């Protein structure tokens, strides 16, 4: 009996936590497929299921522009932050650049409330003409993603990869060749996991986009927040927009799932 319970209890606990995560998503999917009257009913009813709400978000709102803006900003900020964070993490791990003080400074930057960074960025972008532009949003997102990715990647360049690089240097490889051909491939799972997390971080960012974006550069979080009429929030179209906004994440996960799990577990072990 004890052995049976030892196998059953973990599955029960995991099932409960999984339901806590999945039930809100299932609820949103149900609301997105029902009509507006049924969406507000308590207890919930299934009613007529259709795609009218999905059609409405593209016909009534500039949803495709919000989606494209988020895609541009998230991809660009991740593409810029990832190689820079990789170089920073490698410098921290191999050369102890800046010492413990600089490492602590990178970590401390993640503890600052975003509103503290928004105000000086607003003044800087206003004076340089970057307000309400994609470039301004991309640069602002770097202030969040770059320290986070650099701190996350440090552990992937420590340990076994250092001895492999030393062997490559003895065989005649330069420091750059050892970095590109040894360190980066060994840390590839962690780099891919960091890139995915950086993309999600930028995709969901709200405050910077609220203050620094304009009508032509609004991202999805701001667009979803603006789906409110004089009669209140139209919950059914909002649920449909939320489902569509989750599609890029669900599209990426099957391809990067093994790298995400492997990368995060390696970072935890090291």
């Amino acid at each position: 009996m004890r052995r049976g319970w030892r196998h059953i209890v973990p599955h029960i606990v995991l099932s409960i936590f999984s339901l806590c995560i999945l039930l809100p998503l299932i609820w949103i999917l149900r609301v997105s497929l029902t009509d507006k009257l049924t969406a507000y009913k308590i207890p919930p009813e299934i009613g007529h299921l259709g795609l009218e709400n999905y059609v409405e978000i593209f016909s009534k709102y500039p949803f495709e522009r919000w989606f494209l803006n988020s895609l541009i900003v998230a991809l660009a900020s991740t593409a810029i932050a990832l190689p820079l964070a990789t170089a920073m993490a490698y410098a921290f791990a191999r050369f102890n650049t800046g010492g413990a003080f600089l490492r602590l400074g990178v970590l401390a930057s993640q503890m600052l409330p975003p509103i503290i960074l928004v105000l000086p960025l607003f003044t800087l972008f206003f004076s340089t003409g970057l307000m309400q532009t994609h470039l301004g949003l991309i640069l602002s997102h770097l202030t969040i993603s770059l320290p986070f990715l650099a701190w996350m990647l440090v552990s992937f360049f420590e340990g076994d990869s250092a001895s492999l690089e030393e062997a490559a240097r003895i065989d005649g490889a330069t420091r750059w060749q050892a970095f590109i051909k040894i360190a980066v491939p060994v840390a590839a799972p962690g780099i891919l996991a960091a890139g995915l997390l950086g993309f999600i971080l930028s995709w969901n960012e709200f405050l910077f986009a609220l203050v620094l974006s304009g009508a032509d550069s609004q991202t999805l979080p701001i667009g979803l927040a603006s789906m409110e009429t004089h009669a209140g929030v139209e919950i059914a179209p909002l649920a449909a927009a939320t489902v569509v906004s989750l599609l890029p994440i669900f599209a990426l996960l099957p391809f990067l799932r093994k790298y995400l799990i492997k990368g995060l577990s390696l970072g935890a072990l090291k």
Side-chain angles (χ1 to χ4, degrees), residues 157-180:
F157 291 108
E158 296 175 339
D160 297 337
S161 61
S163 59
L164 294 175
E165 285 184 61
E166 290 178 3
R169 294 293 304 278
I170 293 174
D171 290 338
T174 64
R175 172 66 70 178
W176 175 253
Q177 289 174 333
F179 171 69
I180 294 297

Side-chain angles (χ1 to χ4, degrees), residues 219-240:
T219 56
L220 268 174
I222 307 304
L224 296 182
S226 66
M227 294 180 65
E228 184 176 358
T229 66
H230 64 281
V233 178
E234 296 186 359
I235 192 66
L238 179 60

Side-chain angles (χ1 to χ4, degrees), residues 27-33 53-54 57 227 234-245:
W27 182 283
I28 292 173
L29 180 61
R30 180 199 71 85
V31 172
S32 69
L33 295 172
N53 296 316
Y54 292 90
I57 62 175
M227 294 180 65
E234 296 186 359
I235 192 66
L238 179 60
T242 303
V243 172
V244 177
S245 68

Side-chain angles (χ1 to χ4, degrees), residues 60-127:
K60 186 176 179 181
Y61 302 95
F63 186 82
E64 63 278 1
R65 187 173 67 210
W66 300 339
F67 191 93
L68 182 60
N69 289 338
S70 288
L71 198 61
I72 291 173
V73 173
L75 287 176
S77 61
T78 304
I80 296 172
L82 196 57
L84 293 177
T86 302
M88 286 177 60
Y90 183 80
F92 286 150
R94 290 291 178 275
F95 310 111
N96 195 26
T97 303
F101 178 78
L102 184 56
R103 287 198 187 192
L104 182 61
V106 172
L107 179 62
S109 67
Q110 297 298 292
M111 302 178 184
L112 293 174
I115 190 64
I116 294 179
L117 298 176
V118 167
L119 296 178
L121 285 176
F122 177 87
T123 304
L124 180 63
F125 289 171
F126 185 81
S127 61

Side-chain angles (χ1 to χ4, degrees), residues 12-266:
I12 294 176
V13 173
L14 289 174
S15 299
I16 293 174
F17 279 101
S18 298
L19 287 175
C20 293
I21 296 172
L22 293 176
L23 283 178
L25 297 177
I26 296 173
W27 182 283
I28 292 173
L29 180 61
R30 180 199 71 85
V31 172
S32 69
L33 295 172
T34 60
D35 59 83
K36 297 179 180 179
L37 294 178
T38 307
Y40 284 98
K41 289 186 177 180
I42 300 294
E45 297 179 4
I46 298 298
H48 169 71
L49 300 180
L51 300 176
E52 292 82 5
N53 296 316
Y54 292 90
V55 175
E56 181 176 341
I57 62 175
F58 287 99
S59 60
K60 186 176 179 181
Y61 302 95
F63 186 82
E64 63 278 1
R65 187 173 67 210
W66 300 339
F67 191 93
L68 182 60
N69 289 338
S70 288
L71 198 61
I72 291 173
V73 173
L75 287 176
S77 61
T78 304
I80 296 172
L82 196 57
L84 293 177
T86 302
M88 286 177 60
Y90 183 80
F92 286 150
R94 290 291 178 275
F95 310 111
N96 195 26
T97 303
F101 178 78
L102 184 56
R103 287 198 187 192
L104 182 61
V106 172
L107 179 62
S109 67
Q110 297 298 292
M111 302 178 184
L112 293 174
I115 190 64
I116 294 179
L117 298 176
V118 167
L119 296 178
L121 285 176
F122 177 87
T123 304
L124 180 63
F125 289 171
F126 185 81
S127 61
T128 56
L130 292 177
M131 278 293 297
Q132 303 182 0
T133 63
H134 292 97
L135 180 58
L137 281 179
I138 293 169
L139 294 176
S140 66
H141 285 192
L142 288 178
T143 62
I144 301 175
S145 59
L146 184 55
F148 170 73
L149 298 183
W151 185 262
M152 177 181 174
L153 288 173
V154 169
S155 61
F156 295 101
F157 291 108
E158 296 175 339
D160 297 337
S161 61
S163 59
L164 294 175
E165 285 184 61
E166 290 178 3
R169 294 293 304 278
I170 293 174
D171 290 338
T174 64
R175 172 66 70 178
W176 175 253
Q177 289 174 333
F179 171 69
I180 294 297
K181 295 182 179 181
I182 303 297
V184 171
V186 170
I191 295 173
L192 290 174
L196 177 60
L197 294 177
F199 178 87
I200 295 174
L201 188 67
S202 179
W203 184 267
N204 292 330
E205 200 284 320
F206 179 82
L207 182 60
F208 285 174
L210 176 66
V211 177
L212 303 176
S213 68
D216 295 330
S217 58
Q218 279 186 348
T219 56
L220 268 174
I222 307 304
L224 296 182
S226 66
M227 294 180 65
E228 184 176 358
T229 66
H230 64 281
V233 178
E234 296 186 359
I235 192 66
L238 179 60
T242 303
V243 172
V244 177
S245 68
L246 293 174
L247 292 181
I249 307 302
F250 285 112
L252 287 174
L253 284 179
F255 298 100
L256 298 178
R257 181 175 54 187
K258 63 177 181 179
Y259 296 107
L260 180 64
I261 296 174
K262 184 178 180 181
L264 293 179
S265 61
L266 283 176

